[in-house]
């Protein structure tokens, strides 16, 4: 079978070969045109000549993806959509987990990882902490799940997500409100995302005249059910409490505890999670959806543009959360 060429892509998408080349190299084209070209590339299975492009631009075609340990389905889905786009553009994703001081120090002492990459994506990490450690990531950097005025970034409006959760729980008829969160002790991993969700949530409660204090903030773990007794106390001592779990994993612990106590979600208590992981629909969990695949793909688009067309304006890209309403609220 004949290998598709750039001319085939141009013909299928109804543009010139120069336009296809600009899309491949992150140049300036209309978004509608970019989408048509990308769809043609996907349909034809077109692969640019990597050797020729490397010789022409001196690029390694590798992008370093720095991240903490993969805690949830959220990270897997983001990485999958990120990698799918890079694969289509003939780039390679190199994952480097930074979950300890040892890993961080290795990155500081051995610059080969950064030097052998055309760019870096910093995912769900404390960028302020990394900056204090004087790691030079170069000019081609995109932040994921972080806001910045210095770097291209992709993030969700977490304050809005917290507000949406509070408003829905109030509408459900709750008057006692609780938050299930996670206290990060590792400064490398500590981000502001959970704090912003709490800020949005408590801000609405305060404006509506409802009480919320630190005693109503319950901490648990990503992997182990560590808050069973506290959750059980909430479910047995309060009438129709409204519970906001800052991650779907935490909401699962609430559902498991409620099942053991024979408490019915949506009747005896109201529960909202965060992420919209794949299992939440089967469980009937109302949750705040993050558009994981869209966020991962946009991050990949930004880093490729940084590499192929340097010198452009900083691009902060904000995504908005949506409520997926189901049985629990």
């Amino acid at each position: 079978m004949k290998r598709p060429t750039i001319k085939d892509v141009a013909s299928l998408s109804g543009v010139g070969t120069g336009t296809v080349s600009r899309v491949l190299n992150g140049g300036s084209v209309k978004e509608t045109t970019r989408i048509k070209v990308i769809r043609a590339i996907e349909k034809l299975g077109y692969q640019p000549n990597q050797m020729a492009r490397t010789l022409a631009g001196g690029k390694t075609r590798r992008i370093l993806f720095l991240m903490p340990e993969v805690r949830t389905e959220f990270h897997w889905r983001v990485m999958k959509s990120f990698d799918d786009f890079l694969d289509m553009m003939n780039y390679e994703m190199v994952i480097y987990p930074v979950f300890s001081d040892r890993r961080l120090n290795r990155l500081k002492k051995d610059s080969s990882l950064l030097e052998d990459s055309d760019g870096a994506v910093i995912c769900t990490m404390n960028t302020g902490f990394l900056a204090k450690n004087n790691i030079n990531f170069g000019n081609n950097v995109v932040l994921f799940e972080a806001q910045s005025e210095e770097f291209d970034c992709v993030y969700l409006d977490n304050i809005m997500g917290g507000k949406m959760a509070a408003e829905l729980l109030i509408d459900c008829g709750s008057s006692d409100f609780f938050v299930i969160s996670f206290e990060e002790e590792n400064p490398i991993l500590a981000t502001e995302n959970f704090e912003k969700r709490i800020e949005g949530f408590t801000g609405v409660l305060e404006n509506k005249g409802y009480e919320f204090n630190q005693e109503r903030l319950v901490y648990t773990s990503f992997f182990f059910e560590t808050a069973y007794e506290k959750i059980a106390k909430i479910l047995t001592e309060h009438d129709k409490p409204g519970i906001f779990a800052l991650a779907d994993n935490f909401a699962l612990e609430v559902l498991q505890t409620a099942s053991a106590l024979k408490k019915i979600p949506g009747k005896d208590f109201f529960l909202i999670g965060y992420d919209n992981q794949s299992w939440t629909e089967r469980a009937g969990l109302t949750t705040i959806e993050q558009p994981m695949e869209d966020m991962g793909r946009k991050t990949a688009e930004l880093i490729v543009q940084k590499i192929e067309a340097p010198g452009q304006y900083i691009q902060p890209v904000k995504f908005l959360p949506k409520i997926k309403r189901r049985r629990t609220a």
Side-chain angles (χ1 to χ4, degrees):
M1 183 176 177
K2 181 184 175 183
R3 182 175 179 178
T5 67
I6 193 170
K7 290 183 180 179
D8 296 325
V9 174
S11 177
L12 182 60
S13 54
V15 300
T17 56
T19 301
V20 175
S21 179
R22 285 197 296 275
V23 171
L24 290 172
N25 291 292
S28 177
V29 296
K30 291 182 180 178
E31 187 61 24
T32 53
T33 302
R34 185 186 301 278
I35 291 172
K36 284 196 298 184
V37 172
I38 288 174
R39 285 177 177 170
I41 291 171
E42 291 175 336
K43 185 173 183 179
L44 294 170
Y46 171 72
Q47 289 288 332
N49 188 315
Q50 180 174 348
M51 182 176 293
R53 294 183 71 185
T54 302
L55 290 173
K59 297 181 175 64
T60 66
R61 316 299 298 177
R62 298 189 186 95
I63 294 175
L64 192 61
F65 196 88
L66 295 116
M67 62 180 304
E69 66 266 34
V70 178
R71 289 176 167 172
T72 69
E73 177 188 314
F74 172 81
H75 288 106
W76 284 113
R77 287 170 60 181
V78 166
M79 285 194 298
K80 177 67 166 56
S81 62
F82 181 87
D83 188 57
D84 284 347
F85 183 85
L86 291 193
D87 188 53
M88 184 180 67
M89 302 303 290
N90 208 28
Y91 277 84
E92 181 182 11
M93 176 186 188
V94 179
I95 301 173
Y96 186 84
V98 188
F99 46 71
S100 67
D101 288 336
R102 179 182 62 81
R103 299 283 296 182
L104 183 65
N105 288 331
R106 180 183 170 188
L107 191 65
K108 289 169 64 176
K109 294 177 181 178
D110 183 2
S111 61
S112 61
L113 270 172
L114 293 168
E115 292 171 354
D116 290 343
S117 303
D118 295 331
V121 170
I122 302 175
C123 171
T124 321
M125 295 172 64
N126 187 328
T127 52
F129 180 83
L130 293 177
K132 290 178 181 177
N133 278 270
N134 299 316
I135 301 176
N136 182 13
F137 292 101
N139 295 321
N140 297 331
V141 177
V142 175
L143 307 183
F144 179 80
E145 274 210 302
Q147 292 178 244
S148 174
E149 296 180 356
E150 300 179 32
F151 300 100
D152 287 27
C153 56
V154 174
Y155 64 97
L156 189 82
D157 189 336
N158 282 294
I159 292 178
M160 179 180 177
K163 289 180 178 179
M164 295 166 75
E167 289 166 354
L168 180 53
L169 289 175
I170 292 171
D171 288 343
C172 287
S174 293
S175 57
D176 290 330
F177 302 93
F178 299 86
V179 170
I180 312 296
S181 185
F182 172 75
E183 193 168 28
E184 181 60 73
E185 297 180 356
N186 188 337
I188 301 173
L189 310 181
T191 68
E192 297 180 345
N193 295 325
F194 280 12
E195 285 76 7
K196 288 182 178 179
R197 294 171 196 176
I198 295 172
E199 179 185 341
F201 185 77
T202 57
V204 169
L205 296 184
E206 291 171 3
N207 288 336
K208 299 283 187 177
Y210 292 99
E211 179 185 0
F212 189 92
N213 54 46
Q214 285 298 114
E215 294 179 358
R216 293 172 179 258
L217 184 59
V218 176
Y219 292 102
T220 187
S221 163
F222 266 98
F223 303 112
F224 307 103
E225 289 76 19
T226 58
Y228 175 85
E229 292 182 1
K230 292 181 180 179
I231 293 171
K233 187 174 181 180
I234 292 170
L235 296 175
T236 54
E237 295 185 2
H238 296 271
D239 182 36
K240 296 184 178 181
I243 304 172
F244 179 32
L246 300 189
D248 288 338
N249 290 46
F250 308 158
L252 181 59
E253 184 175 0
V254 176
L255 291 174
Q256 291 171 338
T257 304
S259 178
L261 297 172
K262 301 189 183 308
K263 295 289 184 178
I264 302 173
K267 178 183 177 183
D268 299 321
F269 67 97
F270 302 100
L271 173 66
I272 299 176
Y274 211 103
D275 284 341
N276 193 34
Q277 294 185 31
S278 59
W279 59 267
T280 58
E281 184 173 5
R282 297 191 304 274
L285 176 67
T286 295
T287 185
I288 306 296
E289 179 184 40
Q290 298 198 68
M292 307 175 204
E293 284 75 17
D294 291 342
M295 292 172 71
R297 182 185 179 95
K298 189 61 184 181
T299 304
E301 289 179 0
L302 288 180
I303 191 62
V304 170
Q305 287 177 21
K306 292 286 289 183
I307 294 166
E308 302 285 1
Q312 297 187 24
Y313 291 110
I314 301 249
Q315 298 184 66
V317 180
K318 178 171 70 174
F319 283 83
L320 301 179
K322 296 179 182 178
I323 288 183
K324 288 290 184 180
R325 191 163 188 183
R326 300 179 181 122
R327 293 194 305 271
T328 63

